[in-house]
C-alpha cells in the first residue's frame, strides 16, 4: 500500500522529478517527459464499479464523456503498443495499492471503458520476445491464461486489501478486544468466514483484531455474543498458566468490545449470533 503523497512525489528521471500520478487527480497520467502514459488511477468511490464486473479483467472507465478525448486516445495507444502501465487502486482514503504491470487489452466504446489485465514480470520478458518477432500462438495462448489467472488473484488480493483497510479504519486501527495499536500486528477478522456464502468482505462482517485475538477468535477460544460481549471458553477460563493466558485471554471475559466510532460499522448482531453459536458448540 502506498500513501497518496508518495505517489505525487514520484521518482527522478533525467534529473527531474516525475510524479507517479497526476497531482490534479486525472485518471490517466502521461508526464510531459514520457511518450506514453505511465499509470491509471481509480478513485476510492469508483473502485468496485470500475474494476470488478468481469472475472478475468479489470475495467477502466473512459475519462469524460467524449470517447475521443485525448486521455482516452492514450489508452488506445497503450493497447496498440502493448506497453505496460501501473494501476493504482484506491483501497481507502489516501491509500493506494499499486498493481504492476498491467496491460490495456480491450476497448469497449459502447460502455465507454477499456479492459485491463494484470501480468507478472516473467511474462513481461516473454512479451518482449514477441516484440522482437518471436510469435508462437501456443505461447500467446498460455500467456492469456496466465494473465487471466493473475488478474483473478489480483482481484482477491484487492478484495482482501480493501476489507482490511476499511475494517482497521472503522476501528481506529486498534484491536477491538485489547486496544493494541501496532498496525503491522492487526488483522481484519471475518465474523462469518469468507469461505461461507454469507461471509461478505464488508465492515459489518469484520472485527479489527491483533494476531493473538484473531487466532483465539478463529479457534473459538474467544467468542463475541450479539450484545458485543467477549466470552472465554469455560475450560480455558479455568486453566492456570503465565501472563499471556491471564492477561491476554482470561482477562477478556465479559468485556465489551471496543466498537467502531460510527454505528453503521458496528458488527452485524445476526452474524455475531450465528458465529457465537459455533463458539458455544465448542464449549463442551
Ligand atoms: Zn488484541
Amino acid at each position: 500500500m502506498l500513501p497518496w503523497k508518495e505517489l505525487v512525489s514520484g521518482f527522478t528521471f533525467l534529473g527531474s522529478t516525475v510524479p507517479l500520478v497526476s497531482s490534479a487527480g486525472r485518471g490517466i497520467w502521461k508526464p510531459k517527459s514520457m511518450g506514453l502514459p505511465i499509470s491509471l488511477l481509480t478513485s476510492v468511490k469508483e473502485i468496485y464499479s470500475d474494476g470488478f464486473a468481469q472475472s478475468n479483467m479489470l475495467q477502466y472507465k473512459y475519462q469524460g464523456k467524449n470517447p475521443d478525448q485525448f486521455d482516452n486516445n492514450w489508452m488506445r495507444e497503450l493497447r496498440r503498443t502493448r506497453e505496460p502501465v501501473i494501476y493504482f487502486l484506491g483501497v481507502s482514503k489516501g491509500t493506494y495499492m499499486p498493481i504492476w504491470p498491467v496491460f490495456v487489452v480491450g476497448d469497449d466504446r459502447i460502455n465507454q471503458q477499456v479492459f485491463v489485465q494484470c501480468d507478472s514480470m516473467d511474462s513481461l520478458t516473454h512479451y518482449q520476445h514477441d516484440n522482437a518477432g518471436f510469435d508462437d500462438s501456443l505461447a500467446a495462448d498460455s500467456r492469456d491464461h496466465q494473465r487471466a489467472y493473475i488478474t483473478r488473484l489480483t482481484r482477491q488480493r484487492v478484495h482482501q486489501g480493501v476489507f482490511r483497510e476499511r475494517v482497521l479504519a472503522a476501528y481506529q486501527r486498534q484491536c477491538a478486544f485489547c486496544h493494541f495499536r501496532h498496525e503491522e500486528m492487526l488483522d481484519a477478522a471475518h465474523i462469518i468466514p469468507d469461505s461461507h456464502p454469507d461471509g461478505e468482505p464488508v465492515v459489518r462482517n469484520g472485527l479489527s483484531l491483533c494476531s493473538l485475538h484473531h487466532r483465539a477468535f478463529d479457534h473459538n477460544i474467544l467468542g463475541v455474543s450479539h450484545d458485543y460481549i467477549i466470552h472465554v471458553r469455560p475450560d480455558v477460563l479455568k486453566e492456570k498458566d503465565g501472563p499471556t493466558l491471564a492477561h491476554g485471554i482470561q482477562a477478556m471475559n465479559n468485556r465489551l468490545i471496543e466498537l467502531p466510532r460510527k454505528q453503521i460499522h458496528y458488527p452485524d448482531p445476526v452474524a455475531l449470533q450465528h458465529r457465537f453459536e459455533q463458539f458455544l458448540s465448542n464449549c463442551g
Side-chain angles (χ1 to χ4, degrees):
M1 299 289 172
L2 292 170
W4 175 251
K5 65 175 190 316
E6 221 165 291
L7 302 188
V8 177
S9 56
F11 61 98
T12 306
F13 178 69
L14 300 176
S16 54
T17 302
V18 182
L20 284 163
V21 290
S22 146
S23 55
R26 290 192 82 84
I28 299 155
W29 172 230
K30 192 194 86 63
K32 277 203 181 73
S33 53
M34 304 280 166
L36 281 170
I38 59 168
S39 70
L40 305 177
L41 178 78
T42 300
S43 80
V44 180
K45 265 199 305 221
E46 284 164 339
I47 176 169
Y48 282 100
S49 60
D50 242 19
F52 293 92
Q54 282 205 354
S55 62
N56 296 333
M57 309 233 190
L58 305 171
Q59 290 139 281
Y60 198 86
K61 285 274 175 226
Y62 285 174
Q63 306 292 291
K65 297 224 182 314
N66 177 5
D68 295 313
Q69 188 177 309
F70 69 95
D71 350 37
N72 298 326
N73 284 331
W74 279 124
M75 288 204 280
R76 283 181 207 108
E77 196 58 13
L78 283 173
R79 184 187 177 200
R80 193 185 65 77
T81 56
R82 304 206 281 165
E83 291 294 341
V85 280
I86 315 172
Y87 196 73
F88 288 112
L89 277 172
V91 294
S92 69
K93 199 165 184 283
T95 306
Y96 291 81
M97 178 185 279
I99 300 170
W100 155 269
V102 302
F103 295 86
V104 176
V105 296
D107 186 10
D108 175 8
R109 286 179 81 99
I110 293 168
N111 296 306
Q112 307 226 327
Q113 60 193 356
V114 293
F115 295 113
V116 173
Q117 274 198 318
C118 311
D119 218 316
S120 68
M121 291 310 286
D122 288 356
S123 53
L124 194 59
T125 326
H126 293 151
Y127 151 72
Q128 279 158 353
H129 279 293
D130 282 1
N131 253 6
F134 173 82
D135 194 1
D136 178 338
S137 60
L138 201 65
D141 193 40
S142 85
R143 199 179 58 235
D144 281 349
H145 280 295
Q146 186 176 351
R147 280 191 183 167
Y149 175 70
I150 293 169
T151 306
R152 257 199 325 276
L153 286 187
T154 304
R155 180 196 307 269
Q156 284 171 10
R157 195 161 63 90
V158 169
H159 280 311
Q160 286 160 2
V162 170
F163 180 61
R164 182 178 189 274
E165 278 298 318
R166 291 186 173 167
V167 171
L168 263 56
Y171 285 81
Q172 298 179 282
R173 302 180 185 279
Q174 56 182 323
C175 174
F177 291 2
C178 70
H179 306 216
F180 189 72
R181 283 177 180 278
H182 281 273
E183 199 174 325
E184 61 275 33
M185 290 176 67
L186 292 178
D187 302 321
H190 287 80
I191 296 170
I192 305 285
D194 57 351
S195 52
H196 190 280
D198 295 335
E200 286 181 85
V202 294
V203 174
R204 299 198 70 203
N205 188 40
L207 285 171
S208 167
L209 295 178
C210 70
S211 309
L212 175 69
H213 290 135
H214 188 186
R215 291 295 280 265
F217 183 71
D218 277 357
H219 292 280
N220 294 309
I221 288 173
L222 296 177
V224 180
S225 44
H226 67 91
D227 50 0
Y228 310 122
I229 303 289
I230 306 168
H231 302 260
V232 180
R233 210 175 73 196
D235 62 311
V236 177
L237 203 53
K238 285 186 207 134
E239 278 175 25
K240 294 227 179 317
D241 194 30
T244 304
L245 178 73
H247 301 296
I249 303 289
Q250 291 167 334
M252 298 297 131
N253 201 37
N254 291 328
R255 265 203 207 177
L256 182 69
I257 66 166
E258 187 68 27
L259 286 161
R261 213 155 25 99
K262 292 185 184 160
Q263 203 167 350
I264 51 160
H265 291 146
Y266 281 18
D268 177 4
V270 176
L272 278 179
Q273 186 56 35
H274 184 82
R275 180 61 196 264
F276 192 60
E277 279 158 22
Q278 198 188 326
F279 166 80
L280 290 176
S281 70
N282 272 267
C283 289

PDB file of all heavy atoms in Angstrom, residues 175-180 209-210 212-213, ligand 1:
ATOM      1  N   CYS A 175      -7.024  -3.088  18.189  1.00  0.00           N
ATOM      2  CA  CYS A 175      -7.698  -4.370  18.399  1.00  0.00           C
ATOM      3  C   CYS A 175      -9.011  -4.103  19.142  1.00  0.00           C
ATOM      4  O   CYS A 175      -9.023  -3.385  20.145  1.00  0.00           O
ATOM      5  CB  CYS A 175      -6.796  -5.313  19.188  1.00  0.00           C
ATOM      6  SG  CYS A 175      -7.611  -6.864  19.640  1.00  0.00           S
ATOM      7  N   ALA A 176     -10.099  -4.689  18.643  1.00  0.00           N
ATOM      8  CA  ALA A 176     -11.413  -4.474  19.266  1.00  0.00           C
ATOM      9  C   ALA A 176     -11.493  -5.136  20.642  1.00  0.00           C
ATOM     10  O   ALA A 176     -12.382  -4.828  21.424  1.00  0.00           O
ATOM     11  CB  ALA A 176     -12.510  -5.026  18.362  1.00  0.00           C
ATOM     12  N   PHE A 177     -10.570  -6.057  20.944  1.00  0.00           N
ATOM     13  CA  PHE A 177     -10.598  -6.739  22.240  1.00  0.00           C
ATOM     14  C   PHE A 177      -9.669  -6.065  23.262  1.00  0.00           C
ATOM     15  O   PHE A 177     -10.052  -5.867  24.401  1.00  0.00           O
ATOM     16  CB  PHE A 177     -10.183  -8.213  22.098  1.00  0.00           C
ATOM     17  CG  PHE A 177     -11.175  -9.089  21.367  1.00  0.00           C
ATOM     18  CD1 PHE A 177     -12.351  -8.568  20.833  1.00  0.00           C
ATOM     19  CD2 PHE A 177     -10.930 -10.451  21.203  1.00  0.00           C
ATOM     20  CE1 PHE A 177     -13.256  -9.385  20.152  1.00  0.00           C
ATOM     21  CE2 PHE A 177     -11.835 -11.265  20.530  1.00  0.00           C
ATOM     22  CZ  PHE A 177     -12.989 -10.736  20.001  1.00  0.00           C
ATOM     23  N   CYS A 178      -8.437  -5.758  22.839  1.00  0.00           N
ATOM     24  CA  CYS A 178      -7.434  -5.322  23.826  1.00  0.00           C
ATOM     25  C   CYS A 178      -6.867  -3.928  23.555  1.00  0.00           C
ATOM     26  O   CYS A 178      -5.967  -3.493  24.266  1.00  0.00           O
ATOM     27  CB  CYS A 178      -6.300  -6.342  23.896  1.00  0.00           C
ATOM     28  SG  CYS A 178      -5.273  -6.359  22.410  1.00  0.00           S
ATOM     29  N   HIS A 179      -7.320  -3.260  22.481  1.00  0.00           N
ATOM     30  CA  HIS A 179      -6.886  -1.901  22.128  1.00  0.00           C
ATOM     31  C   HIS A 179      -5.452  -1.822  21.593  1.00  0.00           C
ATOM     32  O   HIS A 179      -4.939  -0.734  21.407  1.00  0.00           O
ATOM     33  CB  HIS A 179      -6.998  -0.914  23.315  1.00  0.00           C
ATOM     34  CG  HIS A 179      -8.344  -0.868  23.944  1.00  0.00           C
ATOM     35  ND1 HIS A 179      -8.890   0.292  24.432  1.00  0.00           N
ATOM     36  CD2 HIS A 179      -9.265  -1.823  24.158  1.00  0.00           C
ATOM     37  CE1 HIS A 179     -10.089   0.026  24.931  1.00  0.00           C
ATOM     38  NE2 HIS A 179     -10.328  -1.252  24.771  1.00  0.00           N
ATOM     39  N   PHE A 180      -4.828  -2.959  21.377  1.00  0.00           N
ATOM     40  CA  PHE A 180      -3.462  -2.970  20.847  1.00  0.00           C
ATOM     41  C   PHE A 180      -3.417  -2.190  19.533  1.00  0.00           C
ATOM     42  O   PHE A 180      -4.303  -2.338  18.693  1.00  0.00           O
ATOM     43  CB  PHE A 180      -3.057  -4.432  20.625  1.00  0.00           C
ATOM     44  CG  PHE A 180      -1.615  -4.645  20.285  1.00  0.00           C
ATOM     45  CD1 PHE A 180      -0.629  -4.489  21.245  1.00  0.00           C
ATOM     46  CD2 PHE A 180      -1.233  -5.027  18.998  1.00  0.00           C
ATOM     47  CE1 PHE A 180       0.708  -4.713  20.942  1.00  0.00           C
ATOM     48  CE2 PHE A 180       0.092  -5.248  18.683  1.00  0.00           C
ATOM     49  CZ  PHE A 180       1.061  -5.088  19.652  1.00  0.00           C
ATOM     50  N   LEU A 209      -8.685  -7.118  14.841  1.00  0.00           N
ATOM     51  CA  LEU A 209      -8.119  -7.886  15.960  1.00  0.00           C
ATOM     52  C   LEU A 209      -6.606  -8.012  15.825  1.00  0.00           C
ATOM     53  O   LEU A 209      -6.083  -8.136  14.708  1.00  0.00           O
ATOM     54  CB  LEU A 209      -8.732  -9.297  15.999  1.00  0.00           C
ATOM     55  CG  LEU A 209     -10.235  -9.410  16.284  1.00  0.00           C
ATOM     56  CD1 LEU A 209     -10.672 -10.876  16.241  1.00  0.00           C
ATOM     57  CD2 LEU A 209     -10.596  -8.798  17.641  1.00  0.00           C
ATOM     58  N   CYS A 210      -5.917  -8.028  16.970  1.00  0.00           N
ATOM     59  CA  CYS A 210      -4.479  -8.297  16.963  1.00  0.00           C
ATOM     60  C   CYS A 210      -4.283  -9.783  16.658  1.00  0.00           C
ATOM     61  O   CYS A 210      -5.236 -10.573  16.721  1.00  0.00           O
ATOM     62  CB  CYS A 210      -3.851  -7.908  18.299  1.00  0.00           C
ATOM     63  SG  CYS A 210      -4.331  -8.991  19.659  1.00  0.00           S
ATOM     64  N   LEU A 212      -2.977 -12.291  18.247  1.00  0.00           N
ATOM     65  CA  LEU A 212      -3.374 -13.238  19.303  1.00  0.00           C
ATOM     66  C   LEU A 212      -4.896 -13.403  19.325  1.00  0.00           C
ATOM     67  O   LEU A 212      -5.417 -14.524  19.344  1.00  0.00           O
ATOM     68  CB  LEU A 212      -2.881 -12.734  20.673  1.00  0.00           C
ATOM     69  CG  LEU A 212      -3.336 -13.563  21.881  1.00  0.00           C
ATOM     70  CD1 LEU A 212      -2.654 -14.932  21.889  1.00  0.00           C
ATOM     71  CD2 LEU A 212      -3.055 -12.825  23.197  1.00  0.00           C
ATOM     72  N   HIS A 213      -5.595 -12.282  19.316  1.00  0.00           N
ATOM     73  CA  HIS A 213      -7.051 -12.365  19.426  1.00  0.00           C
ATOM     74  C   HIS A 213      -7.718 -12.863  18.149  1.00  0.00           C
ATOM     75  O   HIS A 213      -8.773 -13.489  18.204  1.00  0.00           O
ATOM     76  CB  HIS A 213      -7.602 -11.026  19.924  1.00  0.00           C
ATOM     77  CG  HIS A 213      -7.217 -10.799  21.354  1.00  0.00           C
ATOM     78  ND1 HIS A 213      -6.740  -9.603  21.835  1.00  0.00           N
ATOM     79  CD2 HIS A 213      -7.189 -11.667  22.398  1.00  0.00           C
ATOM     80  CE1 HIS A 213      -6.460  -9.749  23.131  1.00  0.00           C
ATOM     81  NE2 HIS A 213      -6.714 -10.984  23.484  1.00  0.00           N
TER      82      HIS A 213
HETATM   83 ZN1  LIG B   1      -5.953  -7.869  20.886  1.00  0.00          ZN
END
